[in-house]
Amino acid sequence: MNARLYFWQRGSAALMVPMVVVHLAVIFYATSQRLTAAEILSRTQGSLAWGLFYGAFVLLASIHASIGTRNILCEWGRLKSGSAGAVASVFGAALIALGLRAVAAVVLP
């Protein structure tokens, strides 16, 4: 792995740590209060804050996962750097598209 990718993967991980904590806290709160899906959506729909939070989370997770995928393809799959990078880029773009679609479904009214 080159230094630039190392920086981006470790940086995305560092930024995601507090986001994972918040995400897990929200899950524990929702389950402890026995909130239904409709009740959760009533609280998240129209919320710019949750949209920005989970949008950023999706982008960071996609960057982190695509770099890790590239490394696995290079080290275990024996793909050349360019090929592995192309596959990882497509994978990352798919994660971003699917993740932002999920965020939109939960946040948009």
Side-chain angles (χ1 to χ4, degrees):
M1 177 188 318
N2 67 40
R4 183 178 56 86
L5 293 178
Y6 180 88
F7 169 80
W8 277 99
Q9 191 172 40
R10 297 323 183 262
S12 64
L15 292 172
M16 281 192 303
V17 168
M19 298 177 104
V20 169
V21 171
V22 169
H23 178 66
L24 291 175
V26 168
I27 291 171
F28 285 127
Y29 174 78
T31 56
S32 71
Q33 299 299 311
R34 299 186 187 274
L35 297 177
T36 65
E39 291 169 328
I40 293 169
L41 286 176
S42 73
R43 295 175 185 207
T44 60
Q45 288 185 330
S47 172
L48 179 63
W50 283 121
L52 291 173
F53 176 81
Y54 279 109
F57 198 175
V58 164
L59 294 175
L60 289 168
S62 299
I63 290 167
H64 186 82
S66 61
I67 293 170
T69 300
R70 179 196 172 277
N71 292 336
I72 290 169
L73 292 172
C74 286
E75 294 172 15
W76 292 15
R78 306 282 187 225
L79 289 180
K80 292 185 180 183
S81 180
S83 299
V87 171
S89 294
V90 170
F91 178 65
L95 288 177
I96 290 171
L98 293 170
L100 291 180
R101 184 171 183 248
V103 170
V106 171
V107 174
L108 294 179

